[in-house]
Amino acid sequence: MTVEVTGAAAVGERASDPDLLYSEAEEDLRAAVRSLLAARAEPAAILGRIETGDPYDPALWRALATDMGTAGLLVPEKLGGQGASAREAAVVLEELGRAAVPAPYLTSAVLVVETLLGCEPEASEEPEAPEVARLLASFASGRTVGALALPLPTGPGSALACEVRVAADGTLEGGARRVADAAGAHTLLIPARGPEGVELYAVDTSAAGVTVSPLVSLDLTRPLADVAFAGVRGRRLAGPGVAEAAVRRALLAGAGLLASEQLGVAEWCLSETVRHMGERKQFNRPVGSFQALKHRLARLWLDIVSARATARYAADALASGSADAPVAVAVAQSACSKAAVRAAEECVQLHGGIGMTWEHPAHLYLKRAKADEIALGTPSHHREILAELVNLPSPTAG
Amino acid sequence: MTGIDAAELRRRVTELLAAHDPATTDRTAFLQARFDAGLAWVHFPAGLGGLDAPRALQAVVDAELEAAGAPDNDPRRIGIGLGMAAPTILRYGTEEQKRRFLRPLWLGEEVWCQLFSEPGAGSDLAALATRAVRDSRGDWVVDGQKVWTSSAHLARWAILIARTDPDVPKHRGITYFVCDMTAPGVEVRPLRQITGEAEFNEVFLTGVRIPDNHRLGEVGDGWRVAQTTLMNERVAIGGGRVPREGGLIGLVAETWRERPELRRHALHQRLLELWAEAEAARLAGERLRQQLVAGHPGPEGSAMKLAFARLNQEISGLEVELLAEDGLLYDDWTMRRPEHVDFAGREAGYRYLRAKGNSIEGGTSEVLLNIVAERVLGLPSEPRTDKDIPWKELAR
Ligand SMILES: Cc1cc2nc3c(=O)[nH]c(=O)nc-3n(C[C@H](O)[C@H](O)[C@H](O)COP(=O)(O)OP(=O)(O)OC[C@H]3O[C@@H](n4cnc5c(N)ncnc54)[C@H](O)[C@@H]3O)c2cc1C
């Protein structure tokens, strides 16, 4: 069936074979996370928390992030982490997506940690290195929760919308809108415009001059907040050049790993819908026996098969530091955003009236899927990036 | 399985190449030597072109031989034999049948075709009406009509399913045969396709005699035997890796790069979507391959044919539209009877038309979606009215 065209040049593909499967250790990690979430994050509990303004269950976070060590998966052992990789973090995110759990994993254990890893924590000649390493260790332990003060949406390849300034006296002025998980964070990483370019600062949310204003978010399981800084004294983590590269690295990893969360969302929606359609009877037969519906679910499964391969490839490319990671991430975002949104939409429709109720968890997945589709770059944003990466220029590009 | 590993296979390939230098050995002689060394299809038994080695290791042999510039058996020309007849003969054939058929099949000396579909039995293949009746000597006489038979004009042999008992429900009265395409009573007529050429044929069988030792499997067990054939047809495993842009998307991408004057914004959006989808499908195929190598075949096999059928159609449709005025032209309507399908060797219009067959041949996409829904997702089957009624009482 595959049509092989001989002589077609491989476009930017890496030479070594990526590993697209799950290792035994990864499956063990999945099983552990899944059983924790099954016991402590059932849909009723999540629904009970999401309107309290504080959707996170601190005991669950401690068990997941600290006791199981998942907050430090991306951090090398000598810096206080687990020394694992994006492949393992991806598995955790799949499970968090599958359970639509409110937990600041993507924001703290991926975006914040990756930003710090990009700040040369081991460059002993840099004056900032000890503070970067100290913060990294505290985030890796899960005891401190952080958020990156960038306005959403921001995707890899976007211009950084940085509205915080470093004033002449070295304090921070300005703010960032729509920051994910800011309300629950202890510490913010703040890209701020200094005289020579973007620098990076750390500020505790309890510090004088910091205001965090929660917003009414589409996705209640990952709430947004506006943050504002007035004469705030921050701890400098990186200067121009390094800071911006660190943020870009984090956005690439974040978008690549978000794909695994989206995959988990899609998988739950499909399996829950299949289960329901096998049980629900109308016209004296299970509704799942109607061909129109079977074909819709089979197509959804096809999308998920492809999405899973792209999410695994993105995680593997990030883990190995492959030069193809930007392509892998853009392809994964394009495939997984679509799979998650479609799966959640089908889940609502094929549940009928019950799918429209607040009580049924389908809406948690729909809102998560729709917000995920935008947060770190929309599918069309990622395809525009792809156009440059694989040399398929737009009509106006010269 | 024997303990043969990649290193051992490499050693045997080196031996083969040393004894039969491809540069100086005649193609047929080389292929014969390769078959007899067990390097034809390594997962087949010793003596039948294989070494009882894991199937995944075939890629090692193919890569070594290709690097050495060795000739291959032109697998595109003999796809039905390699992909469908051989695995079925291996599974259900007698020792005598395996010895008689497998070697010339692999060498490409004998082309095979598949006499399954009939005018009245396509998706519902088990409804087939071609009759096989036993004569006084215990051999068979076949009468009926088959249709859409690819390569029948080139074939020496056919795999054939026919009804041997009309009094039982349709799945139970079928028997599987090997049919000699040169036997008296076999008539092959080309069927011209929308592309202008005739890859497939209609085949009329009138009083065709088939000796009982050309039966595969038990009398009445043909449906089960045919499942082996169909599974091998549908699971498009594609042995080796496909490179990025290795399919039809690569051809459109090249046109886009080389002809800036054709670029339009709306087409750009569709091109990027299809590029990303083609890459995702390629990765899914690669993941499936890795699952097979790791010994965990997943249900994803049935996904691949569906995905590629849709992508080939959408991509070739985009290509014709992109070409605009050139898309109004066609390379050649001459009625030919080609040896194999050649997507890359023809122009965009041909690709667009030929790709339409991708969602029909080897099981339609609708039928494959039924299979995914029921066998992969476990959804309940539709109420059926045909399962327990004798074949002769079914609506036709
Ligand atoms: C290029 C090409 C090469 C081929 N080569 C061979 C060959 O070498 N040997 C061989 O034996 N056959 C061959 N075929 C035949 C092929 O297998 C059949 O055409 C196919 O199985 C469909 O059968 P049909 O044509 O009778 O269509 P039908 O079964 O009549 O289908 C008509 C339409 O109804 C739909 N449909 C049917 N049943 C269902 C259902 N239960 N649910 C939903 N939709 C349904 C189908 O999807 C299709 O759209 C070839 C076909 C093509 C196009």
Side-chain angles (χ1 to χ4, degrees):
Chain A
M1 241 318 113
T2 38
V3 183
E4 276 204 57
V5 180
T6 40
V11 180
E13 200 190 348
R14 56 199 260 238
S16 65
D17 273 6
D19 176 1
L20 303 178
L21 305 181
Y22 299 99
S23 70
E24 239 170 84
E26 287 160 7
E27 290 295 2
D28 289 348
L29 174 63
R30 177 199 302 290
V33 174
R34 191 178 290 189
S35 75
L36 173 72
L37 298 180
R40 307 271 282 274
E42 70 276 25
I46 296 173
L47 284 166
R49 289 194 75 95
I50 52 174
E51 287 180 287
T52 63
D54 180 16
Y56 302 126
D57 172 356
L60 174 65
W61 176 254
R62 211 175 308 117
L64 174 77
T66 308
D67 301 346
M68 289 180 59
T70 61
L73 286 174
L74 295 174
V75 180
E77 275 170 291
K78 56 179 181 257
L79 293 169
Q82 305 294 320
S85 76
R87 293 180 56 93
E88 290 80 4
V91 169
V92 174
L93 277 161
E94 261 180 56
E95 293 308 310
L96 291 171
R98 195 191 306 274
V101 182
Y105 192 84
L106 182 74
T107 41
S108 188
V110 177
L111 285 168
V112 163
V113 159
E114 280 289 328
T115 307
L116 290 171
L117 287 169
C119 290
E120 306 176 1
E122 291 174 90
S124 47
E125 72 281 8
E126 298 293 333
E128 292 94 350
E131 175 61 9
V132 171
R134 189 191 69 77
L135 275 175
L136 205 45
S138 74
F139 291 126
S141 74
R143 288 197 182 82
T144 310
V145 172
L148 178 62
L150 267 189
L152 294 187
T154 305
S158 318
L160 293 188
C162 176
E163 286 171 21
V164 182
R165 279 180 306 107
V166 185
D169 64 354
T171 61
L172 302 177
E173 288 290 338
R177 311 209 44 201
R178 299 178 308 278
V179 177
D181 289 338
H186 307 116
T187 304
L188 298 173
L189 297 196
I190 305 160
R193 216 166 279 287
E196 269 140 55
V198 175
E199 304 171 22
L200 188 74
Y201 289 82
V203 168
D204 294 338
T205 45
S206 57
V210 178
T211 320
V212 178
S213 320
L215 297 166
V216 180
S217 311
L218 174 65
D219 176 9
L220 288 160
T221 65
R222 183 175 284 144
L224 308 179
D226 288 344
V227 293
F229 309 103
V232 174
R233 198 151 289 284
R235 312 188 292 278
R236 198 175 111 128
L237 302 177
V242 175
E244 186 156 348
V247 171
R248 293 202 175 284
R249 163 190 168 137
L251 287 170
L252 186 68
L257 291 178
L258 176 61
S260 285
E261 177 182 302
Q262 291 166 315
L263 172 64
V265 167
E267 283 178 335
W268 182 88
C269 292
L270 175 64
S271 64
E272 182 55 29
T273 308
V274 166
R275 192 189 61 71
H276 178 72
M277 292 185 42
E279 285 173 2
R280 171 74 175 164
K281 293 202 178 66
Q282 291 288 280
F283 302 95
N284 196 35
R285 52 195 267 208
V287 289
S289 67
F290 289 102
Q291 192 181 56
L293 307 189
K294 284 158 89 166
H295 281 194
R296 280 165 75 160
L297 290 174
R299 287 211 184 81
L300 203 53
W301 177 79
L302 284 186
D303 282 355
I304 292 176
V305 166
S306 279
R308 186 180 302 117
T310 66
R312 269 292 78 188
Y313 181 47
D316 189 72
L318 289 165
S320 65
S322 158
D324 199 39
V327 174
V329 169
V331 169
Q333 270 299 307
S334 181
C336 295
S337 284
K338 177 178 157 210
V341 171
R342 277 205 49 217
E345 290 175 352
E346 290 289 72
C347 183
V348 170
Q349 171 65 20
L350 297 180
H351 273 78
I354 198 172
M356 277 302 285
T357 62
W358 189 270
E359 186 187 346
H360 192 280
H363 67 101
L364 296 176
Y365 293 86
L366 179 65
K367 294 162 188 174
R368 173 68 76 86
K370 203 63 191 163
D372 278 358
E373 184 187 41
I374 301 168
L376 295 177
T378 60
S380 45
H381 168 84
H382 287 283
R383 289 194 289 266
E384 277 164 25
I385 304 244
L386 209 48
E388 277 172 46
L389 292 171
V390 303
N391 184 28
L392 293 171
S394 89
T396 41
Chain B
M1 294 265 158
T2 50
I4 288 185
D5 59 6
E8 174 61 18
L9 283 177
R10 285 204 184 85
R11 197 186 61 70
R12 291 186 189 222
V13 172
T14 312
E15 244 175 53
L16 171 73
L17 290 167
H20 308 270
D21 181 357
T24 55
T25 313
D26 158 70
R27 174 172 182 271
T28 309
F30 183 87
L31 291 174
Q32 285 169 346
R34 176 175 168 189
F35 188 92
D36 297 335
L39 297 168
W41 32 31
V42 296
H43 58 293
F44 272 50
L48 294 171
L51 294 165
D52 297 292
R55 181 179 188 149
L57 292 179
Q58 185 64 40
V60 174
V61 172
D62 292 347
E64 296 278 312
L65 288 173
E66 199 191 322
D72 69 13
N73 58 350
D74 196 0
R76 289 191 301 182
R77 209 180 125 251
I78 52 174
I80 293 171
L82 291 173
M84 289 183 255
T88 314
I89 293 168
L90 181 66
R91 173 113 186 246
Y92 289 99
T94 61
E95 279 313 305
E96 190 195 336
Q97 288 168 339
K98 293 182 211 170
R99 299 217 168 271
R100 165 62 189 87
F101 293 124
L102 290 175
R103 193 167 187 269
L105 181 160
W106 188 86
L107 293 172
E109 291 168 359
E110 294 178 344
V111 172
W112 287 67
C113 68
Q114 180 196 18
L115 292 172
F116 278 25
S117 305
E118 297 182 4
S123 301
D124 185 10
L125 185 58
L128 59 90
T130 292
R131 287 280 278 126
V133 178
R134 227 165 186 168
D135 70 8
S136 53
R137 288 181 316 214
D139 292 334
W140 301 86
V141 180
V142 179
D143 285 278
Q145 184 193 343
K146 295 290 178 176
V147 75
W148 325 127
T149 317
S150 309
S151 306
H153 52 293
L154 307 165
R156 172 69 174 80
W157 297 104
I159 43 178
L160 164 74
I161 45 180
R163 184 151 313 276
T164 44
D165 187 352
D167 296 323
V168 293
K170 61 182 179 179
H171 293 95
R172 281 190 248 145
I174 296 171
T175 302
Y176 198 120
F177 300 96
V178 171
C179 176
D180 181 348
M181 292 296 285
T182 63
V186 176
E187 190 197 342
V188 177
R189 294 186 203 154
L191 270 176
R192 198 173 183 199
Q193 283 155 242
I194 61 175
T195 54
E197 35 173 58
E199 273 168 54
F200 56 36
N201 305 269
E202 47 188 350
V203 177
F204 296 86
L205 304 165
T206 316
V208 178
R209 306 198 76 83
I210 298 183
D212 192 50
N213 64 7
H214 281 182
R215 170 167 51 81
L216 275 182
E218 298 304 313
V219 175
D221 204 26
W223 186 250
R224 194 158 65 108
V225 182
Q227 293 315 303
T228 299
T229 310
L230 297 175
M231 254 156 48
N232 278 283
E233 178 175 28
R234 285 171 187 164
V235 178
I237 298 171
R241 293 187 58 202
V242 182
R244 180 171 289 166
E245 291 195 4
L248 293 189
I249 194 69
L251 300 171
V252 196
E254 271 320 294
T255 304
W256 185 271
R257 291 178 189 126
E258 280 161 18
R259 303 192 52 189
E261 78 281 6
L262 297 176
R263 295 176 192 163
R264 300 285 177 278
H265 279 290
L267 295 178
H268 192 225
Q269 296 310 314
R270 275 166 58 202
L271 174 65
L272 292 172
E273 271 175 47
L274 288 171
W275 195 97
E277 286 174 25
E279 173 68 0
R282 183 188 77 85
L283 289 167
E286 172 63 15
R287 185 160 193 276
L288 173 66
R289 195 183 67 81
Q290 292 182 5
Q291 281 176 308
L292 291 172
V293 171
H296 312 294
E300 279 89 345
S302 37
M304 299 319 300
K305 181 181 183 288
L306 278 162
F308 283 113
R310 181 181 68 77
L311 282 169
N312 282 353
Q313 291 173 355
E314 290 191 21
I315 291 167
S316 59
L318 176 70
E319 187 183 20
V320 172
E321 190 180 338
L322 171 67
L323 287 169
E325 61 246 43
D326 292 343
L328 291 171
L329 305 178
Y330 192 74
D331 54 0
D332 186 1
W333 292 117
T334 309
M335 154 71 181
R336 279 201 209 85
R337 303 177 84 183
E339 289 216 338
H340 53 75
V341 185
D342 186 5
F343 271 94
R346 297 280 305 263
E347 301 283 316
Y350 171 85
R351 285 191 276 281
Y352 173 67
L353 296 173
R354 182 58 186 84
K356 294 286 167 260
N358 291 162
S359 55
I360 303 171
E361 57 197 326
T364 69
S365 288
E366 288 77 14
V367 166
L368 289 183
L369 287 169
N370 290 345
I371 291 176
V372 167
E374 289 176 18
R375 306 224 187 120
V376 180
L377 299 179
L379 286 163
S381 57
E382 301 223 37
R384 292 188 64 162
T385 56
D386 60 342
K387 264 193 172 154
D388 302 316
I389 311 176
W391 173 81
K392 63 181 182 197
E393 287 167 27
L394 293 174
R396 257 185 295 279

